[in-house]
Amino acid sequence: MNRRSALKNLSLVLGTTAIPDWAYQWNQQSIPTYQGPNTELLGDIVNAIIPETDSPGAKSIGAHLYIERMVKDCMGIEEQQAFQKGIQQINVLAKKNFQKDFGKLATKDQLSILTGLQNSTVAEDSQFFKRLKGLTLASYLSSEYFLTKHRNYTMAPGFFHGCVPVQ
């Protein structure tokens, strides 16, 4: 086994487990305010990945804000720039293919762009979309809405009854 790739994979695993305190059972009010240059575009993209149905979509619960904060807090400068470049690339593709911004496209057109990125033969594009989709799912599944409404999450799963007669 190649020692460099093993160390790289180990650092990726260890790096993803060290997330900040605010990232557990988060909601829009608990995220420290930070808005990057592509906040609205990122909101439209995560809304295309997890759209609104009978439950709130990713944009409604603020997944795009969570993702931006995770990128800012947990990625290096080069990774942040590559992530922002990938988000802008989605808008460039939308303008090139449909002559509109990504947020103004019909749902099927948005999905065609995202599917094209996912199935791209260019490794950089498919890796970017894989990371974006993973962050979107992680943000939605760790949100206060999902944990309390769909997982019956309680802060302390058991109760201590100290004054109970011993039998």
Side-chain angles (χ1 to χ4, degrees):
M1 180 172 193
N2 188 349
R3 195 177 296 177
R4 287 184 186 189
S5 66
L7 288 173
K8 181 180 172 185
N9 291 337
L10 181 63
S11 67
L12 283 174
V13 169
L14 293 176
T16 57
T17 58
I19 60 176
D21 291 337
W22 59 262
Y24 296 106
Q25 193 182 359
W26 64 275
N27 59 29
Q28 286 190 27
Q29 291 76 30
S30 69
I31 297 177
T33 54
Y34 168 77
Q35 291 204 342
N38 299 313
T39 302
E40 284 302 313
L41 177 58
L42 183 58
D44 294 333
I45 294 168
V46 299
N47 199 47
I49 295 172
I50 302 178
E52 294 234 8
T53 56
D54 55 342
S55 61
K59 185 176 182 178
S60 298
I61 64 164
H64 59 298
L65 302 173
Y66 175 96
I67 292 170
E68 281 198 327
R69 192 61 193 207
M70 287 296 284
V71 168
K72 183 180 180 301
D73 286 355
C74 301
M75 291 184 186
I77 299 295
E78 290 125 16
E79 290 175 309
Q80 290 178 26
Q81 291 170 346
F83 190 82
Q84 295 298 333
K85 180 183 168 197
I87 291 171
Q88 292 169 352
Q89 181 65 25
I90 291 174
N91 211 28
V92 167
L93 286 171
K95 286 182 180 178
K96 178 182 169 190
N97 296 337
F98 301 102
Q99 292 75 39
K100 293 182 184 177
D101 287 333
F102 184 84
K104 295 179 180 169
L105 293 176
T107 304
K108 68 178 183 74
D109 296 335
Q110 289 178 343
L111 291 178
S112 71
I113 289 174
L114 296 178
T115 304
L117 277 176
Q118 184 176 8
N119 300 330
S120 177
T121 56
V122 179
E124 184 178 292
D125 291 344
S126 62
Q127 287 295 330
F128 164 75
F129 183 75
K130 187 176 181 180
R131 175 176 269 180
L132 176 63
K133 188 176 177 182
L135 283 169
T136 303
L137 289 173
S139 65
Y140 194 83
L141 297 177
S142 66
S143 69
E144 180 181 24
Y145 165 78
F146 183 80
L147 290 174
T148 56
K149 303 291 186 212
H150 296 283
R151 288 288 182 192
N152 295 329
Y153 178 83
T154 55
M155 208 50 182
F159 298 98
F160 175 71
H161 301 288
C163 297
V164 176
V166 179
Q167 298 181 6

